[in-house]
Amino acid sequence: MTEWISWLIEPLQFAFMARALLVTVVAALTCAILSVWLVQIGWALMGDAVSHAVLPGVAISYILGWPFAVGAFIFGAGAVALIGGVRATTRIKSDAAIGVVFTALFALGLVIISKTPSQTDLGHILFGNVLGVSDADIWQVLGSGAIAVSLLLLKRRDLTLYAFDRAHADAIGINTRWLSMLLLGLLALTVVVALQAVGILLVVAMLITPGVTAYLLTKRFDRMLWLSMAITVVCAVAGLYLSYYLDASAGGAVVLTQSAAFLLAYLFGPRGGVVVNWIRSRREVVAA
Amino acid sequence: MTPTAADHHVDSAASAQTLEARGVAVRYGTVQALQGVDLTLDSATITGLLGMNGSGKSSFFGAIMGTVKTTAGSVRLFGAAPKEARSRGLVAYMPQSENVDWDFPISVREVVMTGRYGRLGLTRRPHGRDRAAVGEALDRVGLTELASRQIGELSGGQRKRVFVARAIAQGARLLLLDEPFAGVDKASEATISALLRELRDEGCSILISTHDLAGVPELCDDVVLLKNRVLFRGEPSEALSPERLALVFGLESA
Ligand SMILES: Nc1ncnc2c1ncn2[C@@H]1O[C@H](COP(=O)(O)OP(=O)(O)O)[C@@H](O)[C@H]1O
Ligand SMILES: [Mg+2]
């Protein structure tokens, strides 16, 4: 028993681990909440796009000494606007429009960083540097996370209606354009929160995996939301401890833990679990 | 039904037509889905909007609800701007089955509750009277027992009744039903038709799109034949004459 406790407490004796835990949990929680709507609307690719598109924003922020959140948000929201613009003015299919825009912005980020080698560490931005977050970073994460979480929870019924039946929302005079803008703005904000924890490349995992995992476990939206949050917090903590004791990438370990949770839900979940369905079908065969 | 805020608004607009569309046109890229559509609807009538697939029925609904951009023409609802009428909750919409995500994690009761959202505050937290209205609506369509089911766990006819219940809970006066009888067995169709007649008798104006002629004569008071424009408007018996149908449906059912 005491061994367990010391196993749990040991990492937290290091200030950097305590901060990493805080940042990871806040980031994962914000992503987990947004995730349930993102996957139901079918915006997973949009999450991928926005998370990549913030790279030039982060790079410019470092160069100019701005808070990283400012540049990242500008480019995240800018990417959304650009994608919308390309879609509205051409006949290009939606996924291709998304692909063209975000890869261009990501490439722009790479070029900017390659021209300013001294100030920025590409690896930290791409893969996260949660063990090295500064106090300023923490405040940005907490501030952005608090705004995103409270707006999402406040408008959760409208967002669910938007995801389920946009036409009805329009028919009763709810401003769906505004709702979609709110959601995309919150996506940009959430990406800003999460890239500190797991880096640009893995943000999309945190935006998709919790939502689909919870979806496999329940048929009720409210429950899906709470499950997504609960599973994600457990995974964030477990992942970070794993990374500490295995001396492995923190962002990688957190996402991998979430993937493991998805795998469990996929295999054993009541709603679509392949093992459960297989056993059920075997029983039916035997019974027949 | 108990009187609601929406009923009160209707009184003030009682003299005006439920729907008044003038010269409505809709185009998608190079496809001209609708052209010069004039259509007025009175209260307490069931109107059938008949046309084959691609004739623009769904586009017309979209134009009424503001989800589809019109390239010409105007729409008035209850004598007011469409936006205003929609905000008052006067217009209800039943989506075509293929446009509904039946795997969506939402229960029957929750779907019906979305009919009340226009009356609710910022967070759409329902009050006792909203729960009561939802319960009443579920009762009327006979889904009380199934209220906690996920919407995909219903039969074709029960699924349609969920959206009728939503319109009732909303207190709408104009119901737009897109293909309400597609994928519905005869018994359920009769149940739904009876329900729609009741709503009509309470003063609702109901516009039903369908490409299936069976059941139209008994249900509809009035028929509109659509083929990207209005070809005919009148009595069901006249609309369903072989020559007219050949015009609308081409070789398909001539
Ligand atoms: N979103 C869209 N983009 C492009 N074309 C569309 C779109 N929606 C409908 N159309 C086209 O407009 C025409 C009318 O379609 P629709 O209104 O769905 O007819 P109906 O409901 O009678 O089957 C069809 O030719 C259809 O292909
Ligand atoms: Mg249609």
Side-chain angles (χ1 to χ4, degrees):
Chain A
M1 190 63 198
T2 47
E3 263 173 61
W4 263 101
I5 290 172
S6 66
W7 189 88
L8 282 176
I9 287 177
E10 188 201 306
L12 298 180
Q13 287 163 345
F14 301 99
F16 72 88
M17 272 303 283
R19 298 144 83 102
L21 195 66
L22 178 65
V23 168
T24 306
V25 167
V26 169
L29 200 64
T30 312
C31 287
I33 296 172
L34 181 62
S35 175
V36 293
W37 289 288
L38 228 46
V39 300
Q40 284 306 314
I41 298 175
W43 277 1
L45 189 58
M46 208 62 193
D48 196 20
V50 172
S51 60
H52 282 79
V54 300
L55 183 60
V58 176
I60 291 171
S61 296
Y62 277 124
I63 292 167
L64 299 180
W66 292 354
F68 77 92
V70 173
F73 185 78
I74 291 173
F75 274 81
V80 169
L82 276 176
I83 290 166
V86 171
R87 263 194 213 154
T89 52
T90 68
R91 309 195 63 192
I92 297 174
K93 292 219 179 354
S94 176
D95 57 342
I98 292 174
V100 155
V101 169
F102 90 74
T103 49
L105 288 171
F106 189 71
L108 174 67
L110 288 180
V111 168
I112 291 175
I113 290 170
S114 71
K115 296 304 287 178
T116 51
S118 56
Q119 284 137 309
T120 49
D121 184 336
L122 180 62
H124 284 170
I125 302 174
L126 292 186
F127 303 110
N129 180 30
V130 76
L131 301 182
V133 288
S134 67
D135 281 342
D137 294 339
I138 289 182
W139 285 115
Q140 288 178 54
V141 165
L142 290 181
S144 313
I147 295 171
V149 168
S150 36
L151 282 175
L152 283 167
L153 292 182
L154 206 63
K155 296 305 282 176
R156 66 182 191 278
R157 293 190 182 89
D158 269 355
L159 294 174
T160 305
L161 172 59
Y162 177 84
F164 173 64
D165 191 351
R166 197 179 164 160
H168 171 67
D170 281 314
I172 59 173
I174 291 176
N175 190 339
T176 53
R177 237 181 125 75
W178 187 83
L179 276 180
S180 74
M181 272 167 17
L182 175 73
L183 205 52
L184 289 169
L186 290 174
L187 171 60
L189 199 62
T190 304
V191 166
V192 168
V193 176
L195 65 85
Q196 276 294 304
V198 294
I200 281 178
L201 295 182
L202 284 178
V203 168
V204 63
M206 300 229 292
L207 285 173
I208 298 175
T209 309
V212 291
T213 304
Y215 177 72
L216 291 179
L217 296 175
T218 178
K219 293 170 182 171
R220 299 293 299 273
F221 204 91
D222 272 359
R223 236 173 270 162
M224 188 174 152
L225 181 60
W226 301 122
L227 271 173
S228 177
M229 291 163 71
I231 293 169
T232 300
V233 169
V234 171
C235 287
V237 175
L240 211 62
Y241 274 89
L242 269 181
S243 90
Y244 176 83
Y245 282 108
L246 298 177
D247 195 18
S249 147
V254 168
V255 169
L256 204 57
T257 313
Q258 293 188 346
S259 310
F262 170 78
L263 185 66
L264 287 178
Y266 170 75
L267 291 175
F268 305 109
R271 196 169 174 189
V274 287
V275 171
V276 175
N277 285 344
W278 183 74
I279 291 171
R280 245 181 236 151
S281 66
R282 292 282 299 194
R283 276 211 200 111
E284 275 156 26
V285 170
V286 171
Chain B
M1 258 196 324
T2 49
T4 60
D7 295 331
H8 175 74
H9 284 298
V10 177
D11 294 340
S12 60
S15 56
Q17 238 109 24
T18 305
L19 166 76
E20 191 176 351
R22 293 265 168 256
V24 169
V26 170
R27 189 171 54 230
Y28 305 99
T30 55
V31 178
Q32 188 76 44
L34 289 175
Q35 178 84 65
V37 173
D38 292 324
L39 188 62
T40 55
L41 296 180
D42 294 321
S43 59
T45 49
I46 299 180
T47 309
L49 185 62
L50 261 65
M52 55 185 209
N53 277 319
S55 60
K57 303 182 296 292
S58 297
S59 299
F60 186 61
F61 283 171
I64 297 173
M65 291 190 302
T67 52
V68 167
K69 225 181 87 199
T70 53
T71 50
S74 68
V75 176
R76 304 278 295 169
L77 297 170
F78 301 92
K83 208 169 170 173
E84 197 189 325
R86 289 195 293 265
S87 300
R88 286 194 216 147
L90 297 174
V91 185
Y93 171 66
M94 177 198 285
Q96 230 171 303
S97 270
E98 49 266 47
N99 294 341
V100 177
D101 176 3
W102 297 106
D103 287 326
F104 199 94
I106 193 167
S107 71
V108 170
R109 183 180 286 109
E110 286 167 331
V111 173
V112 177
M113 184 58 85
T114 65
R116 305 290 296 177
Y117 277 19
R119 302 157 187 259
L120 302 179
L122 182 72
T123 65
R124 317 283 178 205
R125 175 195 280 278
H127 305 285
R129 62 173 176 278
D130 302 300
R131 277 190 261 293
V134 167
E136 224 171 277
L138 284 167
D139 218 27
R140 265 192 87 173
V141 304
L143 288 178
T144 302
E145 247 105 84
L146 306 179
S148 300
R149 287 223 189 147
Q150 190 264 337
I151 44 153
E153 298 171 339
L154 301 177
S155 73
Q158 290 166 344
R159 289 176 179 191
K160 301 294 184 182
R161 270 143 65 193
V162 175
F163 290 98
V164 176
R166 180 169 77 180
I168 295 172
Q170 185 183 327
R173 311 303 293 171
L174 171 62
L175 274 60
L176 307 172
L177 313 182
D178 206 349
E179 307 270 2
F181 301 123
V184 172
D185 61 75
K186 285 293 155 207
S188 306
E189 182 172 336
T191 314
I192 296 168
S193 295
L195 205 54
L196 296 181
R197 276 190 218 102
E198 271 177 44
L199 291 172
R200 185 238 354 240
D201 295 340
E202 288 161 19
C204 287
S205 179
I206 304 177
L207 185 62
I208 299 174
S209 92
T210 176
H211 63 272
D212 176 20
L213 303 178
V216 166
E218 305 99 89
L219 179 61
C220 299
D221 306 308
D222 207 0
V223 169
V224 174
L225 298 179
L226 192 75
K227 192 176 189 178
N228 308 115
R229 56 198 180 83
V230 176
L231 293 185
F232 175 82
R233 165 78 188 268
E235 293 278 310
S237 54
E238 287 175 52
L240 300 185
S241 73
E243 311 84 69
R244 291 227 166 82
L245 290 183
L247 212 61
V248 177
F249 289 92
L251 293 175
E252 219 174 45
S253 67

